Amino acid sequence: MESRSVEYTPEQARAALDDVALRRRQLTGAVRPLPFWPLAVTVGWLLATGLLRELPTTPVSRAAYLVVCVLYPVGMFVANHFRPIRPRLAALGAGWWVRLVVGLALGVVVTLYAFDLAEEHTSMPNLIPSVVASAYLVLFALVANRWPRR
Amino acid sequence: MTGPAPQPDPHLATTTRLSIVAFLAGAEEAEFGAVRDAVGLTDSHLSKQAAALEAVGYVQVRKGYAGRRPRTWLALTPAGRAAFTAHVAALNAIVAAAGERLGPTPSGTSAPPGTR
């Protein structure tokens, strides 16, 4: 039965607060959604298909790009959910869900818009959407996925 | 700056327990091994500390299976979360009263607090 009062010196209190801050940083790192390589592969694939023009600008290619744009964020979320640490949304910063949903919607809109622009105004119907989708994914990683440290 | 100053929680007075609770405060729940690795404890030490925190109602221990492997999950209870918040407020008050400015520092070392 611990009913004793506790006394901290200011130094001890500060040290304890430092430890609390450390544990919080540990958690943020621990729930980092995905490693860097899926993003790198995705961006590489997008750029390669755009450069090589392997995908014609058809509904199929649009669907492919959209799937890629959606897969990464969704995969990130799913991977997060099954990790040994189930994060508390508040600890990841308010609005994590909002960022995910907005990010997905933005990815869809940006990619579709890029396709339309490329079709109408350029002779590179695949390259421009690839670059735009890649830029979007990198941005998404930076903002929502917390760019991997180390 | 008036009113009763928040008091440190005696159940969170040790560095180990505070570390465990601080880690769990950011999670809905965390698997035993994840907490052990994060806080740097042995299985038996964490088990003992978790049992102590569970006894005072700060931590909930859940046993389950991941596939066929038994797993233990730790989660902070609402009482534990409230106690942790109050404890951190008390620590902040102590530091503030000493005229220090709070700010995150890279070092994670901490000294055990004195008790009486």
Side-chain angles (χ1 to χ4, degrees), chain A residues 61-98:
Chain A
S61 68
R62 289 187 182 203
Y65 279 93
L66 289 178
V67 163
V68 170
C69 278
V70 170
L71 265 186
Y72 187 76
V74 169
M76 190 179 71
F77 179 77
V78 170
N80 220 355
H81 186 73
F82 289 104
R83 286 206 162 201
I85 301 161
R86 196 155 298 151
R88 196 160 184 258
L89 294 183
L92 294 178
W96 196 86
W97 262 102
V98 173

Side-chain angles (χ1 to χ4, degrees), chain A residues 84-86, chain B residues 23-24 27-32 34-35 72-75:
Chain A
I85 301 161
R86 196 155 298 151
Chain B
F23 187 78
L24 290 176
E28 292 291 340
E29 62 179 0
E31 199 266 325
F32 185 92
V35 181
T72 301
W73 297 83
L74 305 179

Side-chain angles (χ1 to χ4, degrees), chain A residues 31-111:
Chain A
V31 298
R32 186 175 61 219
L34 279 181
F36 175 73
W37 66 265
L39 179 66
V41 168
T42 304
V43 169
W45 181 80
L46 282 169
L47 287 174
T49 54
L51 286 169
L52 298 173
R53 300 191 184 189
E54 285 179 355
L55 291 176
T57 311
T58 63
V60 175
S61 68
R62 289 187 182 203
Y65 279 93
L66 289 178
V67 163
V68 170
C69 278
V70 170
L71 265 186
Y72 187 76
V74 169
M76 190 179 71
F77 179 77
V78 170
N80 220 355
H81 186 73
F82 289 104
R83 286 206 162 201
I85 301 161
R86 196 155 298 151
R88 196 160 184 258
L89 294 183
L92 294 178
W96 196 86
W97 262 102
V98 173
R99 271 185 290 172
L100 180 68
V101 171
V102 169
L104 287 174
L106 204 63
V108 170
V109 170
V110 162
T111 310

